[in-house]
Amino acid sequence: MLLTQEQITRYHEDGFLLLESALGPDEIDRLREAFARDCLVPGPQRVAEEGRDEVRAVYASHQRQAEYAGLVRDPRLLAPVQQLLTEDVYIYQFKINAKPAFGGEKWSWHQDYVAWRIADNLPAPLQVNVAVFLDDVDEFNGPVIFLPGSHRSGLINDSRKATAKSSQHLDPDDIALSEHQLSGLVAERGMVSPKGRAGSVVLFSPEIVHGSAPNMSPFPRRLLIMTYNDTANLPSYPDGEPRPDYVVCRDTEPLRVLDAPFLEALQGAQA
Ligand code: HL5
Ligand code: SIN
Ligand code: MN
């Protein structure tokens, strides 16, 4: 459940770390069912693909679905995050990027911390993203592509476009790197797209450059991303209203690790 010293070093070196098949098939079935239920909940937390009905992203499912409320405390995910950050962390943002078959659109090249600094005045990049594959991810269904080590390049494009792509969240399009910036970085760092079975997990830095291509395959690519933040590193809004609570979670109580995997803990709680 804990990362080895070698894995910790690799995370700091590359800015990401793949944990293959960290969750089992039964767990993934339950998470998919919970996602299907959550997609039926109307509201601004549900973002559609441009000009279509299909879901692009859903935010804050852990506030509505028991499986996800458990998952954020699962020892296999929370304990490694505590190793990488600090003991006291909470969920800053929770989203599922659905990337539907035959037309899930791209996510432009960006660094997450740029978004969170601009939109939420987040003091420092003291976050870890935990991405859980809800589908098998291969080269066809729009895997996330990382530029290894680019989290050590500083903030590359630190400004936001004048017009927002979406009013519901900050789409990476608004803070996308230029072609020139990306070409230079790729020449230096290269590109890697971790692939694996559903249930695999990628831990990644809030400063690493990443993006993903459209999905023209017949297979969906549902990707859950939980962003943990240090409880001593809270957002603030000196110049206006906070962003909505589905996009920036308000519960900043430190999370405590469950003593069993989330499904077992859920069954225990129901028994
Ligand atoms: N959609 C996020 C937000 O905070 C920002 C992006 O991948 C994270 C850039 O609105
Ligand atoms: C994606 O879902 O492909 C993009 C993920 C991200 O920007 O964090
Ligand atoms: Mn991102």
Side-chain angles (χ1 to χ4, degrees):
M1 272 177 216
L2 289 180
L3 301 175
T4 63
Q5 195 52 51
E6 194 193 325
Q7 287 175 309
I8 294 174
T9 304
R10 188 141 14 101
Y11 175 86
H12 289 303
E13 188 69 22
D14 295 342
F16 71 93
L17 180 71
L18 173 65
L19 307 173
E20 280 186 69
S21 300
L23 305 182
D26 295 351
E27 294 176 303
I28 291 303
D29 284 347
R30 290 288 298 274
L31 293 176
R32 288 178 182 167
E33 286 164 22
F35 179 54
R37 284 197 308 275
D38 209 44
C39 281
L40 302 174
V41 179
Q45 83 288 346
R46 191 175 65 185
V47 181
E49 290 287 1
E50 217 171 0
R52 316 183 11 188
D53 288 339
E54 278 173 300
V55 170
R56 174 164 172 77
V58 173
Y59 281 84
S61 304
H62 68 307
Q63 294 172 3
R64 294 176 297 272
Q65 308 296 338
E67 291 84 348
Y68 291 121
L71 188 67
V72 303
R73 298 172 176 79
D74 191 290
R76 293 162 295 177
L77 306 178
L78 180 52
V81 170
Q82 290 173 325
Q83 281 181 287
L84 294 172
L85 268 182
T86 169
E87 190 77 5
D88 290 345
V89 298
Y90 73 98
I91 293 288
Y92 170 72
Q93 184 169 89
F94 183 112
K95 59 184 178 257
I96 298 170
N97 291 345
K99 204 173 266 200
F102 298 116
E105 283 302 333
K106 71 168 179 179
W107 295 89
S108 294
W109 296 110
H110 68 283
Q111 292 171 294
D112 291 347
Y113 180 60
V114 169
W116 300 330
R117 205 169 84 142
I118 293 175
D120 308 316
N121 201 26
L122 204 58
L126 295 173
Q127 299 81 44
V128 169
N129 289 304
V130 177
V132 179
F133 296 3
L134 297 184
D135 292 294
D136 294 349
V137 174
D138 57 26
E139 65 269 48
F140 305 118
N141 63 350
V144 177
I145 305 171
F146 296 101
L147 276 48
S150 58
H151 63 305
R152 294 185 271 107
S153 294
L155 299 184
I156 294 134
N157 168 34
D158 206 0
S159 63
R160 184 181 190 164
K161 280 188 196 161
T163 52
K165 175 167 166 154
S166 169
S167 59
Q168 292 167 271
H169 68 150
L170 196 157
D171 193 285
D173 230 35
D174 300 353
I175 52 165
L177 272 65
S178 70
E179 292 178 6
H180 179 75
Q181 287 169 330
L182 192 84
S183 307
L185 271 172
V186 170
E188 186 188 347
R189 308 276 187 191
M191 299 191 277
V192 174
S193 57
K195 297 166 199 86
R197 305 304 300 260
S200 298
V201 165
V202 178
L203 309 176
F204 68 97
S205 157
E207 292 180 284
I208 194 168
V209 174
H210 61 288
S212 66
N215 182 12
M216 63 192 286
S217 85
F219 308 110
R221 192 233 56 182
R222 290 162 290 190
L223 183 68
L224 160 62
I225 303 178
M226 305 184 277
T227 303
Y228 295 85
N229 184 30
D230 185 330
T231 58
N233 185 55
L234 299 182
S236 68
Y237 302 88
D239 312 319
E241 286 293 296
R243 288 208 294 164
D245 61 359
Y246 62 83
V247 92
V248 179
C249 302
R250 300 291 195 269
D251 183 357
T252 63
E253 276 301 300
L255 293 167
R256 294 299 162 228
V257 179
L258 296 175
D259 48 25
F262 74 96
L263 273 192
E264 277 177 44
L266 200 63
Q267 273 142 17
Q270 281 165 355

